[in-house]
Amino acid sequence: MTPPTAFKITRRSTAVVAAAALAATFAVASTPRAASAACTPDARDLLMTYQPADHTVTDASYFLARLTLANGDRRCSLAGGWTMYFSSVRQPAAVLTGAAGDIARKQLADQGLSVARADRAQSGDFYALKPTGTFTPVATGERRKIDMNIELWATHKSDGPGGWSIAYGDGKPRWVPSKTLLDPADPKQTKAFSGDVRPVQSAATRFAENTSGRRQLTLQQRILPQPLSATATGGTVRIGGSSPISAAAALRGEAGYLKSALRDVATGGGAPISLRLDPKLDVDRDGKADPEGYTLTSSGKGVDIAGTDRAGVLYGIQTLRQLIPAAAYKTGGAGTVAVPRASVADAPLFGYRGLHIDVARHFETKETIKKFLDLMAFTKMNRLHFGVTNDEGWRVEIPGLPELTGFGSKRALDLPEKNALHQGFGSVNDLGGGDGVGGKPGGETEANLGRTPAYQSFEQSMSNFVGKGTGHYSARDFKEILAYATERHIEVVPEFNFPAHARAAVQSMERRYQRTKDDTYRLLDPADTSQHVSVQYYNDNLANPCIPNTYAFLTKVMTEVGKMYADAKAPLNRIHLGGDEPPGPPTGWWSGSPACQKNPETAGKSGEQLADLFFTKWNGIAQKVAKTTAGWEDVTDPARDLRLKNFAPLPWQNVWGWGREDWAYRFANEGTPVILAHATNLYMDLAYNKDPDEPGYYWAAYVDEKSTFTYQPFNVYANATETRWGGPVTPDPNWVKLTETGKKNILGLEAQLWAENGKTPELREYQAFPKLLGVAERAWNRRTPGTAEMPAAWDVFNNTLGQSTFPLLSSYKPVGLRGEGVNYRVPLPGAKISGGTLTANVRNPGLAIEYSTDGVRWRPYNGPVSAGSAVLTRTRTADGRTSRISPVGVPVWQGGTAYQAGSLVTHQGEIFTAKARTTGQAPDLSPRSWRLLQ
């Protein structure tokens, strides 16, 4: 431990040293010391901690948050003349109008502080905290508590602010380490408002929920998604990377894919494998060929895979990959592997089985996207909805419009946004430089305050600038992704989101105009006085539908995108138009635009009429390069007249009680093709459950793999059992039911992986798996269980994950890429203690449980065991990874209590173990006595 007198954090030092030294500083300097006002603390010697304190101060208007600003600098107090920058998904109440804003501004003023939007545009989630003339300096060793009202509620750590930095005077902002706390045992922190009756997840709630016992799985049940039929015929057959593969010339790509996949597990020879096409293949024997269907027969003679088409052959290969024992993936190498002799026949329920990946809010590399594409193919998904534009970033190069990526793909602490979009979601250029923030962490461990992040929960690194706010795909990168997807029979549906959520494009084209004075592609009317604010607080993200420039821009983009698809030899059958969340009421859309009033085509039209005109034109432009289009349900309304040619809406806002629960079925029944994208069950970025450490939001619901697996595409109301706040749902008798004719218009379904909290590839995988496995099951498996059959099917699914799928994913090798394994969510165990005896269970039978009485030594749990009154539990996977720790009976730390070495406590939601007899000081301030476990 660094002595207090030597406390100085350099860029190369790890934040564990910083945290320990900071704690030591406060332990020694319990009384704040005066310091010279001529110096300023090093930014790294500060620590900003955020914690919601009280949700009862109002009922769903705003809550009391507590910031603790700690000054660990041994020389300098923190006086005036500084600005702290940060992002917050929840608005500080001080920026609101009305009484709530007045109260919050006075609250801060009484503490010598003020807060306001930071950037020149006054748009978005970026704020500045400043001292006023009455601010009392924060002395060395002092921990200053700052009360701040924040709008609505914040019951997850993901709701907290992030991306803290400090600038002294006109100096360059530098990283301030930050920490987010939230105590699950304190109802004032976890109960959003009086109507929130959902309990916080705990070992006890999980113990009650984990009802699936271990069961013997049939061959059919071990495959995911489950095939129409699969019968083991007895014995095995050995195959390997050198097995002779016979295939027609048309299947050369599939044969190469299979050979590469087999070489990842065994390089030796083996029985021959035959790949063939049978265009008349009728898997379900209804007299018609089944698109994407296949049969697989493995026998002593080898393996035969027949597909109705090339995609069907690939899906037969994916089933063969699942027949390979997980141990073979783990070991790999020479020799062969044994797969069961079997007969499998299969075909999908839906032709559209999609995954939406948003790379606009946070960018992901082409390698990450390729891995997801291979995992999609492995689970028989066939559409990547690629969200490459939004307010916070434009991610694909468009030749001839360099500003889109030269400006619009970058985020920085750039208040006038001269060279980049401003900071958003607490991120700029990840942990790299050139973004206006100095002294950032040198790696994710330092950003995580000294602990290597496992991304099995919220990590402090998510508040400390981890996250790719900057990044884009060159035209070459994009074509490479398209080609990779095409090899796996996945169509890439690009989304260019307009007219709202278009800030990156609008502002990029403003920079182009400022540079060239050429308004050909300018997207706004500079004289427009319309005022509107989006859900994400943007006031300048709307493209104008009344000027020809907007359509010239869209035509240019579509032309270049069409060329990229042609160069990649990739199908471009659908383009997603976006269209969601226009800011404010329609009466405000372009109401102050002189251009709209001057244009004879738009003069006198209402906001909704202008939007309809825009989408009609945008649809026509897109369909010059693609056969069909799609867009969010916001584009139209079942009760309105607008219907676009060859267009499919994606209904998403089915939150129970919001009034749009039946839009999907109303569209389908009238004859409009529909892609289901319901937030209550298919939004994988939403938090798994109500545990403050679960990353993600919860605005629609909590979504886990049970949400996706139990989803019934033709009866979405079956899941309308409780509100997002845990209360009962009363189904509306007026909700439209899906007709038999309407069923034919359900093209399929699509999982959504939005990126606000997806700041690393590991987090993306955590959010997607195992949720995506439930989506794959519902999109492919023709036997959707009804409400009565669902509990038994759920038990089987839990066993499939625990016994088969998770072990495969642990050692999964994406074909043609480096690396292995998937960071799927490891479920926390359930547990209870009665009379000193620990009893535990896990959602997915087949996963191991461990327990510890001191947080240091872990033992395998094999059944009820005498363990005392306080125990820690966790789940372990086949590859040795563990879930986060789940405490059982662990007491809250009490000041003045003497604790012996090995004692377990929780403090402000964190778990500590005593390293030695304690001194009575709080665990987070006593590193000599306490070790932070989680």
Side-chain angles (χ1 to χ4, degrees):
M1 183 176 67
T2 305
T5 55
F7 180 53
K8 182 67 178 176
I9 302 302
T10 67
R11 181 169 182 79
R12 293 183 298 275
S13 65
T14 63
V16 69
V17 177
L22 191 61
T25 297
F26 296 129
V28 173
S30 56
T31 301
R33 302 179 181 182
S36 170
C39 65
T40 56
D42 189 303
R44 285 177 170 235
D45 291 346
L46 303 173
L47 177 67
M48 180 65 83
T49 301
Y50 158 85
Q51 189 168 17
D54 192 352
H55 281 92
T56 68
V57 293
T58 69
D59 203 25
S61 175
Y62 58 83
F63 68 96
L64 174 64
R66 172 111 346 111
L67 300 175
T68 302
L69 177 55
N71 181 8
D73 192 294
R74 297 295 297 167
R75 302 176 300 108
C76 306
S77 63
L78 180 66
W82 52 266
T83 302
M84 278 198 181
Y85 298 102
F86 65 98
S87 297
S88 180
V89 67
R90 299 280 190 246
Q91 295 182 104
V95 304
L96 303 176
T97 58
D102 293 339
I103 292 169
R105 286 184 285 274
K106 182 179 186 302
Q107 173 195 53
L108 288 172
D110 289 345
Q111 300 170 85
L113 294 165
S114 68
V115 70
R117 284 194 161 81
D119 62 309
R120 184 176 297 173
Q122 297 288 285
S123 181
D125 71 345
F126 189 36
Y127 301 95
L129 177 70
K130 296 182 179 182
T132 67
T134 62
F135 180 73
T136 302
V138 181
T140 61
E142 182 183 356
R143 292 162 53 90
R144 174 74 56 81
K145 295 187 183 302
I146 301 169
D147 286 349
M148 179 185 289
N149 290 343
I150 298 179
E151 68 169 350
L152 299 177
W153 48 74
T155 61
H156 282 245
K157 292 179 180 178
S158 294
D159 294 326
W164 289 87
S165 63
I166 190 169
Y168 295 109
D170 295 327
K172 181 178 181 178
R174 299 184 67 81
W175 170 53
V176 172
S178 68
K179 186 173 186 176
T180 299
L181 296 174
L182 206 161
D183 189 348
D186 183 356
K188 288 188 175 183
Q189 297 184 44
T190 61
K191 186 179 177 70
F193 68 109
S194 60
D196 179 7
V197 296
R198 186 179 294 277
V200 178
Q201 277 277 315
S202 66
T205 62
R206 287 189 293 272
F207 188 84
E209 293 169 357
N210 294 341
T211 57
S212 297
R214 189 180 179 100
R215 61 185 297 163
Q216 190 73 27
L217 296 173
T218 66
L219 178 70
Q220 183 181 24
Q221 292 168 341
R222 297 185 72 85
I223 301 168
L224 195 154
Q226 197 174 115
L228 278 174
S229 67
T231 304
T233 56
T236 60
V237 58
R238 303 195 73 85
I239 58 175
S242 297
S243 286
I245 299 175
S246 61
L251 295 173
R252 186 177 297 129
E254 288 70 29
Y257 183 94
L258 174 59
K259 183 173 286 291
S260 179
L262 290 177
R263 283 177 175 170
D264 284 338
V265 294
T267 59
I273 302 173
S274 170
L275 306 179
R276 57 191 177 87
L277 292 170
D278 180 359
K280 296 182 179 180
L281 186 64
D282 180 10
V283 172
D284 58 8
R285 300 179 182 179
D286 65 351
K288 297 180 291 185
D290 294 306
E292 302 181 283
Y294 70 91
T295 60
L296 182 155
T297 304
S298 55
S299 66
K301 297 180 180 179
V303 179
D304 177 82
I305 296 174
T308 312
D309 44 33
R310 290 177 57 206
V313 172
L314 180 70
Y315 298 139
I317 290 171
Q318 303 298 2
T319 293
L320 179 62
R321 292 177 74 194
Q322 290 199 40
L323 296 180
I324 296 171
Y329 285 93
K330 186 175 182 179
T331 56
T336 58
V337 293
V339 298
R341 299 184 184 188
S343 177
V344 182
D346 205 5
L349 171 63
F350 291 121
Y352 189 109
R353 305 179 299 280
L355 168 64
H356 168 226
I357 301 181
D358 163 25
V359 294
R361 268 63 181 273
H362 282 101
F363 181 69
E364 285 301 342
T365 66
K366 64 183 179 182
E367 289 76 19
T368 296
I369 299 304
K370 285 181 177 181
K371 182 177 180 181
F372 266 98
L373 284 165
D374 200 66
L375 285 162
M376 288 174 65
F378 186 66
T379 53
K380 303 182 175 70
M381 310 283 284
N382 68 355
R383 297 290 192 281
L384 172 65
H385 169 185
F386 207 11
V388 294
T389 75
N390 218 290
D391 292 321
E392 297 84 4
W394 182 286
R395 304 303 185 186
V396 61
E397 176 188 8
I398 301 297
L401 298 176
E403 290 83 4
L404 285 173
T405 49
F407 174 86
S409 75
K410 298 177 180 179
R411 289 213 290 266
L413 207 164
D414 180 355
L415 301 184
E417 295 182 289
K418 181 178 180 181
N419 299 306
L421 295 167
H422 62 65
Q423 175 177 317
F425 303 114
S427 63
V428 279
N429 185 28
D430 202 44
L431 299 182
D435 57 14
V437 180
K440 284 191 296 186
E444 289 188 18
T445 296
E446 187 176 7
N448 206 41
L449 306 183
R451 301 168 60 81
T452 301
Y455 295 116
Q456 282 290 316
S457 67
F458 175 89
E459 301 278 15
Q460 300 298 342
S461 60
M462 296 169 65
S463 297
N464 287 297
F465 286 107
V466 164
K468 299 179 185 68
T470 293
H472 76 275
Y473 307 110
S474 67
R476 181 176 179 178
D477 291 336
F478 192 66
K479 288 185 281 190
E480 191 177 319
I481 290 170
L482 294 177
Y484 189 90
T486 302
E487 290 173 356
R488 286 149 182 78
H489 298 286
I490 296 171
E491 294 183 16
V492 178
V493 180
E495 178 183 346
F496 296 89
N497 201 348
F498 287 91
H501 279 300
R503 188 173 194 268
V506 170
Q507 299 305 319
S508 292
M509 291 302 93
E510 276 303 285
R511 298 331 181 258
R512 179 184 185 276
Y513 171 74
Q514 291 163 8
R515 179 178 65 85
T516 66
K517 302 307 177 185
D518 175 10
D519 67 357
T520 301
Y521 300 119
R522 199 177 190 187
L523 295 173
L524 56 75
D525 172 4
D528 189 354
T529 59
S530 308
Q531 294 186 352
H532 39 65
V533 179
S534 74
V535 176
Q536 291 81 18
Y537 317 125
Y538 291 107
N539 56 29
D540 52 2
N541 71 342
L542 265 177
N544 192 298
C546 307
I547 53 179
N549 318 5
T550 295
Y551 305 106
F553 172 86
L554 294 172
T555 299
K556 169 66 173 175
V557 170
M558 288 298 96
T559 300
E560 298 298 338
V561 168
K563 290 177 182 178
M564 285 188 266
Y565 273 79
D567 290 347
K569 296 181 173 57
L572 180 53
N573 290 320
R574 192 180 297 273
I575 288 173
H576 195 292
L577 309 180
D580 64 318
E581 296 185 325
T587 53
W589 300 342
W590 312 290
S591 59
S593 169
C596 290
Q597 299 308 316
K598 291 178 182 178
N599 184 344
E601 186 180 24
T602 59
K605 283 186 165 58
S606 68
E608 285 186 336
Q609 289 172 328
L610 291 174
D612 288 354
L613 174 66
F614 170 81
F615 286 122
T616 301
K617 290 189 172 187
W618 180 200
N619 193 57
I621 291 169
Q623 289 186 11
K624 289 180 180 178
V625 296
K627 299 175 184 178
T628 61
T629 50
W632 302 111
E633 67 180 22
D634 315 53
V635 170
T636 184
D637 180 324
R640 284 170 50 212
D641 293 333
L642 179 67
R643 293 296 181 271
L644 301 176
K645 181 181 178 182
N646 299 325
F647 171 86
L650 277 75
W652 61 282
Q653 297 182 81
N654 73 312
V655 182
W656 314 121
W658 279 18
R660 295 190 178 188
E661 299 88 342
D662 63 356
W663 275 28
Y665 293 167
R666 291 169 66 185
F667 280 126
N669 288 350
E670 73 174 23
T672 299
V674 170
I675 300 166
L676 302 175
H678 287 135
T680 56
N681 291 77
L682 300 176
Y683 269 45
M684 298 187 299
D685 59 291
L686 295 179
Y688 275 88
N689 54 51
K690 190 178 179 180
D691 179 333
D693 279 303
E694 283 294 344
Y697 301 143
Y698 43 95
W699 59 266
Y702 289 97
V703 175
D704 63 3
E705 69 273 22
K706 188 172 186 179
S707 307
T708 57
F709 179 82
T710 60
Y711 180 70
Q712 296 184 40
F714 300 141
N715 181 20
V716 298
Y717 312 131
N719 290 101
T721 57
E722 63 179 17
T723 69
R724 57 180 172 150
W725 302 114
V729 170
T730 302
D732 188 335
N734 295 317
W735 285 343
V736 171
K737 305 297 192 295
L738 185 64
T739 64
E740 288 301 314
T741 300
K743 285 183 181 180
K744 299 176 183 178
N745 294 315
I746 303 294
L747 300 181
L749 53 86
E750 181 179 287
Q752 309 296 320
L753 190 59
W754 295 96
E756 291 94 331
N757 292 292
K759 296 186 174 184
T760 69
E762 295 86 355
L763 275 167
R764 298 285 191 128
E765 292 177 10
Y766 177 92
Q767 291 176 322
F769 292 93
K771 297 180 192 181
L772 187 62
L773 303 174
V775 177
E777 190 73 22
R778 292 288 69 84
W780 180 276
N781 191 340
R782 293 189 178 187
R783 298 192 180 96
T784 303
T787 303
E789 298 82 21
M790 194 62 78
W794 170 240
D795 284 347
V796 170
F797 182 70
N798 278 334
N799 275 271
T800 300
L801 295 185
Q803 296 183 46
S804 299
T805 313
F806 283 161
L808 281 173
L809 293 179
S810 288
S811 302
Y812 183 83
K813 294 180 175 65
V815 176
L817 298 178
R818 295 179 180 176
E820 65 178 66
V822 176
N823 188 47
Y824 56 87
R825 180 181 184 268
V826 183
L828 282 69
K832 65 178 183 178
I833 293 176
S834 179
T837 297
L838 170 71
T839 307
N841 58 18
V842 69
R843 170 174 275 191
N844 306 112
L847 295 175
I849 301 173
E850 297 179 334
Y851 73 99
S852 174
T853 57
D854 60 5
V856 177
R857 294 173 294 275
W858 290 87
R859 303 176 179 87
Y861 173 85
N862 298 311
V865 60
S866 177
S869 60
V871 182
L872 304 178
T873 63
R874 67 186 186 187
T875 306
R876 180 175 290 276
T877 66
D879 60 352
R881 293 184 303 120
T882 60
S883 69
R884 62 181 181 272
I885 296 170
S886 174
V888 190
V890 175
V892 175
W893 174 81
Q894 298 291 331
T897 301
Y899 292 95
Q900 303 300 315
S903 297
L904 298 170
V905 298
T906 64
H907 178 59
Q908 294 181 324
E910 297 184 305
I911 305 170
F912 294 86
T913 183
K915 295 191 294 185
R917 183 179 173 85
T918 65
T919 62
Q921 196 163 25
D924 57 334
L925 298 179
S926 185
R928 289 190 180 91
S929 301
W930 293 97
R931 176 185 294 116
L932 174 65
L933 297 177
Q934 183 173 294

